[in-house]
């Protein structure tokens, strides 16, 4: 795939970039390795000063970088601005909390003595150079939610971003440089996916994090496993959105629309499978379909647009294949199911609701990356849990109920890294984020995320002999 900015709203190639050669890649890895040896000795106050400066710069420049993101991958401009603001928030949160999150941990005096120690503690030390392989769908946020905790922990980063968001990738490298981070602390590598293995195998690279597709995750995990290097993977999702009989239906419907079409439906944590109890199924589906059909699809630079184009022509083709397969096998299209007739340029797809989806349809098991929802009817909480878990993925989940016993059951039994009750899944710096099953492993954000790329070091001091 060429490294290029291609506007998904009209298919126009705006800029192309040459990939880095082997000599330049070697230079940048060497620079990162040297930077780590110095940067790891800085204290939390200095790291926080630098990260807060980066946040200040991004806050001032959020309108410009929002336009760059929208141009490169098609998200509506207001959503791009919100993404930039979220990055600022995360930077400041980690600058404020990192010292506390990575403070030495001490066992009780009794446990220390029982180990034979005069004193003992756990210290979190940085691992080194971390390779980040990042996706295009949240091209700023996905990187910052790795970079902010990694830099505050004393690590340094190499970013291999998606090839269709090169200007956003270059902006990120420049942002941390202008903020004053020492040379080599955070570098953007404009390289193709074929270079990832050799970079990860380099002995100066200590670990890797990847957000992306399941095949990409498998590839990186296999290489890292062979090299015995730590990885964190956040892969696909097919999140259930369960609406039980006691739910506030109006809120559940309005939130469901946002949960499905956020980022033009291209989000791992977007709700994709809508499971409604038979007592409220007809009402929920009717209202949900009406609102999905009424969404404004169009130019993502238009402030009133609610759904922009898909990020790539191939992405739209894949989505069309999933819908066509479902319809061929008997699913019913309640709305959408086609390209908008009034948008003949760009990679648009109409918000779509499918009913009658069955297990033999591809869309039942594969992730839908676009504004397509499937709806299911269940007669009990047992059926809801079983259907929700009938997926290879386990990223997050959404449940709507006012019954506390049902909440307890969902929290206990749903196979997911998150259970969001009476709301939609969202990430926040203070809450850990990640999944189970084929959605990956490890966690980002919160204290769990900042500790992922730390050497958890036991420090033991023997007791002095009693000379009395």
């Amino acid at each position: 795939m060429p490294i290029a900015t291609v506007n998904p709203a009209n298919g126009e190639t705006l800029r192309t970039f040459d990939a880095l050669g082997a000599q330049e890649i070697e230079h940048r890895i060497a620079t990162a390795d040297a930077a780590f040896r110095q940067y790891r000795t800085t204290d939390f106050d200095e790291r926080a000063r630098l990260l807060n400066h980066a946040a200040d710069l991004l806050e001032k420049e959020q309108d410009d970088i929002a336009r760059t993101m929208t141009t490169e991958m098609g998200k509506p401009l207001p959503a791009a601005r919100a993404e930039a603001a979220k990055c600022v928030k995360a930077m400041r949160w980690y600058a404020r909390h990192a010292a506390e999150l990575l403070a030495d941990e001490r066992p009780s005096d009794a446990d220390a003595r029982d180990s034979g120690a005069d004193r003992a503690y756990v210290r979190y030390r940085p691992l080194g150079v971390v390779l980040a392989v990042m996706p295009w769908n949240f091209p700023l946020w996905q990187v910052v939610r790795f970079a902010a905790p990694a830099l505050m922990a004393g690590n340094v980063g190499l970013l291999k971003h998606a090839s269709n968001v090169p200007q956003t990738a270059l902006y990120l490298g420049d942002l941390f440089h202008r903020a004053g981070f020492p040379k080599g602390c955070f570098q953007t590598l404009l390289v193709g996916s074929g270079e990832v293995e050799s970079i990860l195998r380099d002995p100066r690279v200590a670990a890797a994090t990847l957000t992306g597709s399941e095949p990409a995750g498998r590839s990186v995990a296999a290489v890292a496993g062979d090299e015995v290097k730590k990885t964190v993977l956040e892969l696909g999702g097919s999140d259930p959105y369960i609406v039980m009989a006691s739910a506030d239906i109006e809120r559940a419907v309005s939130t469901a629309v946002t949960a499905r079409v956020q980022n033009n439906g291209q989000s791992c944590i977007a709700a994709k499978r809508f499971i409604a109890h038979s007592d409220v199924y007809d009402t929920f589906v009717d209202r949900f379909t009406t609102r999905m059909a009424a969404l404004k699809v169009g130019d993502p630079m238009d402030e009133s647009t609610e759904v922009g184009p898909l990020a790539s022509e191939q992405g739209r083709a894949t989505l069309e294949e999933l819908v066509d397969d479902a319809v061929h096998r008997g699913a019913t299209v309640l709305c959408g199911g086609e390209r908008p007739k009034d948008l003949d340029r760009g990679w648009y797809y109409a918000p779509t609701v499918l009913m009658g989806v069955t297990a033999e349809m591809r869309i039942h098991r594969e992730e839908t990356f676009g504004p397509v929802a499937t709806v299911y009817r269940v007669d009990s909480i047992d059926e809801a849990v079983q259907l929700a878990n009938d997926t290879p993925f386990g990223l997050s989940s959404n449940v709507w109920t006012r019954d506390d016993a049902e909440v307890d059951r969902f929290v206990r039994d749903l196979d997911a890294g998150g259970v969001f009750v009476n709301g939609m899944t969202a990430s926040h710096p203070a809450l850990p984020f990640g999944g189970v099953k084929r959605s990956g492993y490890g966690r980002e954000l919160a204290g769990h995320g900042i500790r992922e790329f730390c050497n958890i070091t036991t420090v033991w001091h023997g007791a002095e002999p009693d000379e009395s």
Side-chain angles (χ1 to χ4, degrees):
M1 181 177 181
I3 301 174
T5 297
V6 181
N7 187 345
N10 56 27
E12 179 184 352
T13 299
L14 302 177
R15 289 186 65 183
T16 58
F17 298 81
D18 293 329
L20 298 180
Q23 186 175 353
E24 181 61 22
I25 293 172
E26 160 59 28
H27 171 70
R28 296 198 183 194
I29 295 175
T31 302
D33 183 52
F36 172 64
R37 298 177 190 280
Q38 181 270 324
Y39 182 67
R40 68 191 299 273
T41 66
T42 59
D43 59 26
F44 286 113
D45 287 343
E46 173 63 5
R47 296 172 198 168
R49 182 187 69 81
L50 295 170
L51 192 60
N52 276 321
H53 191 192
D56 292 343
L57 290 172
L58 177 55
E59 187 171 47
K60 292 176 183 176
E61 298 161 0
Q62 65 179 2
D63 284 343
D64 289 339
I65 189 57
R67 288 187 172 275
T68 298
M69 287 190 284
T70 294
T71 298
E72 291 198 307
M73 56 72 56
K75 71 172 71 232
L77 187 56
R81 290 196 198 99
E83 180 173 339
K86 186 173 185 176
C87 292
V88 171
K89 178 179 181 178
M91 288 178 175
R92 290 175 176 159
W93 190 90
Y94 271 109
R96 186 167 62 251
H97 292 288
E100 170 194 349
L101 296 171
L102 297 180
D104 290 350
E105 295 179 4
R106 301 181 184 276
S108 68
D109 290 342
D111 284 337
R113 288 193 300 270
D114 189 57
S115 75
D118 178 61
R119 56 194 173 98
Y121 55 92
V122 174
R123 177 157 295 175
Y124 293 96
R125 298 187 293 160
L127 286 182
V129 179
V130 182
L131 172 65
V133 182
M134 294 288 111
W136 48 261
N137 57 333
F138 291 95
L140 207 66
W141 169 242
Q142 303 278 14
V143 178
V144 167
R145 78 181 190 190
F146 148 73
L151 289 168
M152 283 305 301
N155 295 297
V156 303
L158 293 173
L159 169 63
K160 188 280 180 227
H161 217 324
S163 294
N164 61 330
V165 289
Q167 294 187 66
T168 305
L170 290 170
Y171 172 83
L172 283 158
D174 184 59
L175 174 69
F176 290 112
H177 172 72
R178 289 186 290 119
F181 282 90
K183 181 181 178 182
C185 277
F186 191 92
Q187 300 176 82
T188 291
L189 306 180
L190 289 187
V191 296
S193 57
E195 301 295 334
V196 170
E197 178 173 352
S198 62
I199 295 170
L200 183 51
R201 288 192 185 277
D202 191 290
R204 293 164 294 185
V205 174
T209 179
L210 178 143
T211 299
S213 68
E214 184 184 339
R218 287 177 181 274
S219 176
V220 165
V223 173
D226 190 49
E227 295 290 336
V228 196
K229 293 183 179 181
K230 176 69 180 289
T231 53
V232 170
L233 303 180
E234 192 263 279
L235 308 178
S238 188
D239 291 3
Y241 189 101
I242 303 169
V243 183
M244 298 300 289
S246 65
D248 180 332
I249 296 300
E250 185 55 34
R251 284 184 59 218
V253 168
S254 60
T255 305
V257 174
T258 303
R260 177 60 284 220
V261 302
Q262 60 172 315
N263 208 46
N264 304 336
Q266 300 164 122
S267 171
C268 296
I269 56 170
K272 300 181 175 82
R273 297 174 298 130
F274 295 82
I275 302 166
H277 191 278
S278 56
D279 288 353
V280 294
Y281 175 86
D282 289 338
T283 300
F284 174 81
V285 171
D286 287 348
R287 295 182 186 179
F288 178 57
T289 302
T290 298
R291 295 197 185 188
M292 288 282 284
L295 291 168
K296 180 179 178 180
V297 181
D299 181 359
M301 289 293 185
D302 184 332
E303 297 282 352
S304 65
T305 291
E306 295 170 292
V307 180
L310 299 188
S312 69
E313 189 171 18
Q314 180 57 53
R316 182 175 66 177
T318 299
L319 191 68
E320 288 176 325
E321 289 174 6
L322 291 175
V323 173
D324 291 347
D325 172 78
V327 172
H328 176 73
R329 296 176 185 272
T332 300
V333 177
L334 299 181
C335 70
E338 61 185 2
R339 303 176 184 185
K341 294 182 173 56
D342 58 339
L343 296 168
D344 56 357
R345 298 181 67 202
W347 302 312
Y348 294 94
Y349 196 78
T352 299
V353 179
L354 296 178
M355 181 178 67
V357 171
T358 56
E360 67 270 13
M361 299 174 187
R362 288 178 56 196
I363 204 167
H364 181 75
R365 298 220 170 252
E366 298 180 31
E367 182 178 25
T368 50
F369 228 55
V372 175
T374 55
V375 294
Y376 301 82
R377 181 197 298 266
V378 294
D379 293 323
S380 67
I381 191 170
D382 291 335
E383 284 187 54
V385 169
Q386 181 180 11
L387 183 55
N389 289 339
D390 186 26
T391 173
F393 302 106
L395 193 51
S396 190
S397 59
N398 312 258
V399 298
W400 287 79
T401 176
R402 287 182 273 204
D403 184 322
D404 289 341
E406 288 181 345
V407 171
D408 290 342
R409 173 73 187 282
F410 286 127
V411 171
R412 186 192 74 182
D413 290 346
L414 288 178
D415 297 335
V419 180
F420 283 70
V421 181
N422 296 330
M424 60 177 269
T425 298
S427 55
H428 185 280
L431 299 173
F433 181 87
V436 295
K437 301 195 294 189
R438 293 187 181 178
S439 289
Y441 53 73
R443 290 296 181 267
E444 296 177 287
L445 301 176
H448 303 76
I450 198 171
R451 298 185 194 108
E452 285 282 7
F453 295 115
C454 286
N455 175 359
I456 304 172
T457 308
T458 297
V459 183
W460 185 95
H461 290 258
E464 294 292 332
D466 187 355
E467 297 180 356
S468 60

